[in-house]
Structures are given as C-alpha cells and as structure tokens.
Amino acid sequence: MPESTPTAGYALPSSIDRTDGRPVYVIGGGPGGLAAAAALREQGVRAVILEKSGSVGASWRRHYDRLHLHTTRRWSSLPGLAMPRRFGRWVSRDDMVRYLEKYAEHHELEVVTGVEVSRIERAGDGTGWQLSATGGRVLTGRAVVVATGFNHTPRIPRWPGSEAFTGELTHASEYRGPAPYAGRDVLVVGVGNTGAEIAVDLVEGGAARVRIAVRTVPHIVRRSTAGWPAQASAVLVRRLPVGLVDRAGRLMCRITVPDLTEQGLPRPDTGLYSRVKEGAIPVQDVGLVDAVKTGRVVPVAAIESFDEDGVTLADGSRITPDTVIAATGYDRALEDLVGHLGVLDHRGRPVVHGARTPDGAPGLYFTGFTNPISGMLREMALDARKIATRLAKAG
C-alpha cells in the first residue's frame, strides 16, 4: 500500500474509476508537479500527484551538497507560496527541499508516494486518460499532467573501452561532495553548469588535480553583475530577436568575463541566444573562471576512448585520471510512458508544453521539459497557472 502524504488516508483505486469525479493526475512530485497541482487546486480542480519515490522533491534531494539555484529566490517561487527571505538570494539545495515539503503541506496537496506510472493511454470510452501504475493498478483521470522532470535518467556516453577502465567512472548524479576525491586526479567530462560547479568543488575540496573535458566551448556569464542577476537580463531579452540578443550577449561577456583562450577555454564562435535556442544554457560562473585562470582547473579535449588505466582525448593526448566524473546530462525517458502517442520530438522531448496539448491528445499536458534562459522554475510556475486555467475552463 503506497504511503499518502500529506492527505491522510488517501489511497488509489485498484481498478478503473469510472465515476464522474475523475481527478487530474499529475505524474511527478517535483516542483513542476507540485506547482501544477497547487494551481489546479486553487481553481477548484482536484489533482492527485503520483510520485514514484518516497517523498516530494526526490531529485533535489540527490543533488550535490554545494548546489545553489542559479535563479533568484524571488523568481524561483512556485504559485501561492513565496520562498522565505532567510533562504537568501541564491537558494541552497537543502532549503529548496524544505520549500517543496512546505509547499505540499501549505496547499494540502494530495500526494501519493511509491507509485510509478509506466504507461499512459486514452481511456476506452474516449473521455479521459488511463494510467498503468505500480502493482497492476489501472487509473483513469479526466486529464494528465506529466512532470517527471528534465533530469530524469543519467546518461553516460558509450565510450570505446570504458568497460575495461580500472579507474572509477561515475555519473555526476552520484556526486555529493569532494571528500572522497581528496588527493586524487579527477577528470570531469562536460562543461555545463553541473560539470563546471563540480570541478570547482573538487578543487576547493582538496583534489590533487582537476581537468575538465570540453567538447563544445560554452558561453560563460556572471551569475550577477553589480547586483544585477543574469536571470533579470534573460527575462528582459527572451522575446527579442535572436541576432540582437547574440550581439548584446557577446559584448556583455567581453566586458565581464576574461578571455581564457591561453588557458584552453576560448570564447565560443556561436551566439549565446542562438545556442540557447538549440538547448544549450550558458554556464553561470560560480568560480570556474577564476579556477581556470589560475590553472587549478585545466580544460582538455573531449574523450575519444578509454583503455585499462587511461583516457585518450580527441587531440591525441592520453591522460591517466584516477576518477572520471561524467557530467554528460540526462535523458527525459518519456518513450515508454508516452512515446506510442506521437507526442515526442526527435530528441524524445514533448512537442508542446504548458497549456498547449499535442494534436490528437487533448487533456495531456507537459511541464518542466524546457530549460529556458529565464529560469526553469519560473517557467514551471507560469505553466502551472496556464494549465490550471485551461482545465478549469474545460469544466
């Protein structure tokens, strides 16, 4: 029997519920799912969150210890509950988890834990959606909001020879802090925000040597300049022409970020916003620039292959790290859940999000699968309001 929190005594039906009071099922108890459920509740629409783990905010609980939001507290709050001032401007991982717990309690959300949904299909009578879930349950809802998360399934490339490597090869999702790597030679693969932050954490935590493998040179921006957060600029420019934002971004980066070409991290030759439109978010500097500039983090070429005790890089050089940490991203892992419905693009991401539903799939909504320059939490809060308004109007 799954645990139900915070609404005591709530349990899922074990067979199809064909009553007129079908709820909206929200799949995922992270910020996107919680926000959608709270916004629906505010509109008088019953929403039931199905969370496969034992608690809300499960993915946040697994993040590395030093993580802080790159978006401001003000623009990271979800609908109906502001984050406390005591959290500071850049909210820590632990405070984010506390906030999500409080959010579910504050809005008295129906959260059922320990229930994983494996497949979504149109209900037999054509008036809703049927969910196949843990324990052979078949649930029917009037609508479904899929909020299983942007960072769902860790992805490690299939590098030739990696299975023979005698060192440690792990995904960044397993990284918590630098203590286990003190005195070790570590190669971090991937210079996105996660890889950059882990590299700095390792240096500050006593790793003997830290290198970071770079396949595509990133855009680097200051998280805040003279008190003005990068997110504020992103919100202001997000609807401007891409070329104009590219030019403005290039000028701003030249003013605020030093040229690290001599240290192995040249400026990118593509526009910042053009890259965002392709799905690549800029790296917000929380110490990487200084670490690279002073030689404490050394950029190297991308990995080509492994052998028993070493790594061959794309430039032909070979290194012998003790540990390789792959900050190589995540898969959305939506194919089994909804891939048969024709609602995913070639990258496995939903073709629509927010209040829009895919063609041929009315009542099926997605949130939290975009990574906008203006902030993912802010986007999920906006999605939640739009989805709730749409469903309330639908009756």
Side-chain angles (χ1 to χ4, degrees):
M1 187 76 171
E3 178 186 357
S4 175
T5 61
T7 305
Y10 180 75
L12 291 172
S14 57
S15 59
I16 298 177
D17 175 6
R18 297 194 179 279
T19 68
D20 292 334
R22 294 173 179 174
V24 173
Y25 281 113
V26 179
I27 306 176
L34 296 176
L40 285 164
R41 181 179 173 85
E42 185 180 61
Q43 292 278 3
V45 178
R46 185 186 176 202
V48 178
I49 298 172
L50 306 177
E51 166 57 43
K52 70 177 182 179
S53 75
S55 57
V56 300
S59 64
W60 284 91
R61 297 171 193 274
R62 296 192 298 267
H63 284 310
Y64 47 92
D65 296 342
R66 76 173 276 145
L67 177 68
H68 284 70
L69 295 183
H70 291 164
T71 52
T72 65
R73 181 191 71 251
R74 175 188 173 191
W75 281 334
S76 299
S77 294
L78 303 178
L81 184 66
M83 290 187 181
R85 279 183 170 271
R86 68 177 182 277
F87 285 4
R89 193 179 203 187
W90 312 107
V91 178
S92 71
R93 178 205 63 186
D94 289 348
D95 281 337
M96 184 67 187
V97 170
R98 293 186 187 99
Y99 173 71
L100 295 177
E101 291 173 338
K102 180 64 177 178
Y103 191 84
E105 178 185 349
H106 175 81
H107 288 290
E108 299 181 333
L109 301 181
E110 291 187 54
V111 183
V112 183
T113 58
V115 174
E116 182 173 8
V117 178
S118 57
R119 190 174 177 88
I120 300 173
E121 299 176 284
R122 291 302 301 269
D125 60 8
T127 61
W129 291 93
Q130 180 176 301
L131 287 63
S132 299
T134 304
R137 293 180 178 84
V138 180
L139 312 171
T140 302
R142 55 173 286 201
V144 177
V145 180
V146 180
T148 50
F150 193 84
N151 296 338
H152 188 276
T153 302
R155 180 178 65 245
I156 297 182
R158 295 182 178 179
W159 290 296
S162 59
E163 66 282 353
F165 182 55
T166 56
E168 180 186 8
L169 172 59
T170 185
H171 190 270
S173 60
E174 301 297 322
Y175 181 87
R176 297 294 175 270
Y181 308 97
R184 297 175 67 84
D185 184 335
V186 185
L187 172 66
V188 178
V189 184
V191 69
N193 278 295
T194 297
E197 207 159 332
I198 287 176
V200 173
D201 199 33
L202 288 164
V203 165
E204 295 177 353
R209 186 174 192 176
V210 179
R211 287 172 282 208
I212 189 163
V214 181
R215 181 172 298 279
T216 303
V217 178
H219 286 273
I220 302 175
V221 299
R222 298 291 189 187
R223 185 168 66 174
S224 178
T225 302
W228 179 263
Q231 185 187 11
S233 297
V235 171
L236 291 175
V237 306
R238 70 192 189 283
R239 300 194 186 281
L240 295 178
V242 172
L244 177 61
V245 180
D246 280 348
R247 291 192 292 274
R250 187 177 300 113
L251 176 61
M252 180 59 67
C253 287
R254 287 187 178 277
I255 293 172
T256 60
V257 178
D259 187 355
L260 301 173
T261 301
E262 292 186 2
Q263 289 78 29
L265 202 60
R267 297 187 189 278
D269 56 8
T270 53
L272 185 153
Y273 204 26
S274 294
R275 289 279 299 279
V276 169
K277 291 295 187 180
E278 296 171 357
I281 296 298
V283 172
Q284 293 205 18
D285 179 40
V286 290
L288 180 68
V289 168
D290 183 64
V292 170
K293 190 174 181 180
T294 57
R296 294 178 297 151
V297 171
V298 178
V300 297
I303 289 179
E304 280 292 300
S305 63
F306 284 78
D307 55 47
E308 186 174 335
D309 62 351
V311 177
T312 299
L313 303 177
D315 60 6
S317 61
R318 182 177 181 277
I319 59 176
T320 55
D322 301 313
T323 300
V324 177
I325 299 174
T328 46
Y330 296 78
D331 292 321
R332 311 293 87 78
L334 291 170
E335 286 79 7
D336 289 344
L337 188 67
V338 296
H340 55 286
L341 298 173
V343 298
L344 304 178
D345 64 16
H346 68 282
R347 298 178 300 174
R349 301 185 184 186
V351 294
V352 297
H353 70 94
R356 296 174 59 199
T357 59
D359 292 340
L364 182 62
Y365 300 86
F366 295 88
T367 184
F369 296 99
T370 60
N371 197 8
I373 192 172
S374 52
M376 184 181 290
L377 290 168
R378 180 179 181 274
E379 185 76 16
M380 287 190 288
L382 295 173
D383 278 355
R385 297 285 196 197
K386 293 173 183 176
I387 292 170
T389 299
R390 176 80 175 269
L391 281 169
K393 287 180 179 178

